[in-house]
């Protein structure tokens, strides 16, 4: 798989949407001002809250940038520290250990599930949405907020966010240098040279883990590795129909691969992508 191939153009942008409820085409932060923004050029980026708070904004209403790369839609994982329900929206304060930020989820009156969703304080959730700025205060307008069922997802997300940060700050795997100074996305501090292990230890680690899996898990891993799903991952039904595996076999294989840390869930619990090493 090519490094970061799936982030440059993902289908998330094709859904459009903003934080005013639902996925509404043409409802982006920029669309309300200039219009004509090509959603197919948008990307979904895994981030930490520290990166969100430190994102660059050249002027009010401009695109946000992280590691000198334009950020449109973002996803992150954190714990709920406060919940403030309102008639039209629910405001959460989310903490991921690197910082805290408010997340607003607007209630769609046609979908009562939004308003009836139950969230507990200090529980982990995953957020998909857009970074917003109003009166010099930043918040995230959420498309989706869902509980994290498996704590491994927290670790997977931090690894993925780290990988993408290193790609932009130091360049693709195996290459030295980069446009940014490599400061940590978690705490203050610097980074050194390249981040890829040139002796192939990462690939060997994945191979060793895969050797401990059964034939169905290896079959699923091989299929996902060669499929053009990028960061969005491959859905359960696609894997089943393409490999001839039953749905039950795919779910069983996914449990093995998740347990070995070889794949991670992306847009939902039945869509997986390869965890890069």
């Amino acid at each position: 798989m090519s490094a970061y191939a799936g982030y440059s153009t993902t289908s998330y942008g094709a859904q459009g949407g903003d934080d005013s409820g639902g996925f509404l085409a043409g409802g982006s932060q920029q669309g309300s001002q200039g219009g004509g923004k090509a959603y197919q050029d948008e990307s979904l980026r895994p981030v930490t809250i520290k990166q969100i708070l430190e994102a660059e904004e050249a002027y009010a209403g401009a695109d946000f940038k992280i590691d000198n790369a334009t950020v449109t839609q973002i996803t992150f994982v954190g714990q709920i520290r406060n919940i403030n329900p309102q008639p039209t929206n629910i405001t959460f304060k989310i903490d991921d250990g690197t910082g805290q930020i408010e997340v607003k989820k607007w209630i769609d009156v046609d979908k009562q599930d939004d308003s009836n969703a139950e969230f507990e304080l200090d529980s982990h959730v995953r957020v998909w949405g857009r970074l917003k700025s109003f009166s010099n205060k930043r918040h995230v307008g959420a498309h989706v907020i869902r509980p994290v069922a498996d704590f491994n997802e927290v670790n997977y997300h931090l690894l993925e966010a780290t990988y993408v940060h290193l790609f932009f700050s130091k360049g693709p795997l195996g290459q030295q240098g980069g446009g940014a100074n490599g400061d940590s996305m978690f705490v203050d501090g610097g980074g050194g040279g390249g981040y890829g292990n040139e002796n192939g230890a990462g690939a060997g680690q994945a191979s060793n883990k895969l050797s401990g899996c059964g034939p169905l898990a290896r079959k699923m891993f091989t299929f996902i590795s060669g499929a053009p799903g990028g960061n969005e991952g491959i859905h359960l039904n696609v894997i089943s129909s393409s490999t001839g595996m039953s749905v039950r076999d795919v779910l069983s294989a996914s449990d093995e691969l998740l347990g070995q840390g070889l794949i991670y869930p992306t847009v939902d619990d039945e869509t997986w992508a390869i965890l890069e090493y």
Side-chain angles (χ1 to χ4, degrees):
M1 295 178 64
S2 61
Y4 197 69
Y7 286 94
S8 56
T9 53
T10 75
S11 63
Y12 288 98
Q15 293 175 320
D18 67 357
D19 63 345
S20 57
F23 294 91
L24 307 175
S28 74
Q29 172 179 325
Q30 291 78 19
S32 62
Q33 298 176 5
K37 184 176 178 62
Y39 280 100
Q40 65 269 23
D41 294 333
E42 292 197 352
S43 61
L44 174 72
R45 176 160 177 179
V47 295
T48 64
I49 293 177
K50 181 175 188 289
Q51 288 179 295
I52 294 174
L53 297 175
E54 295 180 354
E56 299 176 3
E57 184 183 22
Y59 54 88
D63 287 329
F64 288 96
K65 289 188 175 183
I66 298 176
D67 299 323
N68 205 34
T70 299
V71 174
T72 51
Q73 302 195 63
I74 57 176
T75 182
F76 60 93
V77 175
Q79 287 182 279
I80 298 175
R81 298 306 188 192
N82 186 55
I83 304 175
N84 182 20
Q86 300 290 331
T88 57
N89 70 82
I90 304 175
T91 299
F92 302 85
K93 181 170 287 186
I94 306 295
D95 181 350
D96 71 347
T98 71
Q100 294 187 357
I101 195 166
E102 286 190 348
V103 175
K104 291 183 181 293
K105 180 68 173 72
W106 292 87
I107 298 173
D108 190 334
V109 294
D110 296 326
K111 296 182 179 179
Q112 291 301 315
D113 288 344
D114 286 348
S115 57
N116 294 334
E118 294 183 0
F119 296 96
E120 297 181 359
L121 289 177
D122 297 325
S123 63
H124 284 84
V125 293
R126 178 178 284 276
V127 177
W128 286 269
R130 292 177 180 273
L131 177 55
K132 303 284 185 176
S133 179
F134 182 74
S135 297
N136 294 321
K137 182 179 180 181
R138 295 181 181 182
H139 74 276
V140 173
H143 301 322
V144 177
I145 303 176
R146 69 160 174 78
V148 171
D150 184 348
F151 186 77
N152 283 325
E153 184 176 351
V154 177
N155 298 324
Y156 296 158
H157 170 75
L158 292 176
L159 287 170
E160 185 184 23
T162 301
Y163 175 80
V164 177
H165 164 68
L166 290 172
F167 175 88
F168 281 113
S169 62
K170 295 182 180 295
L173 284 171
Q175 294 185 13
Q176 299 291 327
N181 59 16
D183 285 347
S184 172
M185 56 194 285
F186 302 104
V187 296
D188 292 336
Y195 63 100
N197 191 336
E198 296 180 359
N199 63 11
Q205 183 180 358
S207 178
N208 290 338
K209 289 186 175 183
L210 193 61
S211 65
C213 296
L216 291 176
R218 292 196 294 269
K219 183 176 183 180
M220 176 176 168
F221 182 87
T222 300
F223 173 74
I224 297 178
S225 297
N231 179 61
E232 298 169 38
I234 310 298
H235 189 266
L236 164 70
N237 293 335
V238 176
I239 299 172
S240 177
S241 61
S242 300
T243 63
M245 298 167 62
S246 67
V247 170
R248 176 174 295 183
D249 285 343
V250 174
L251 291 173
S252 177
S254 70
D255 286 341
E256 281 192 64
L257 296 172
L258 285 167
Q260 293 291 338
L262 291 167
I263 62 173
Y264 65 97
T266 57
V267 295
D268 56 41
D269 292 333
E270 295 180 347
T271 305
W272 305 280
I274 298 296
L275 182 63
E276 299 282 0
Y277 285 88

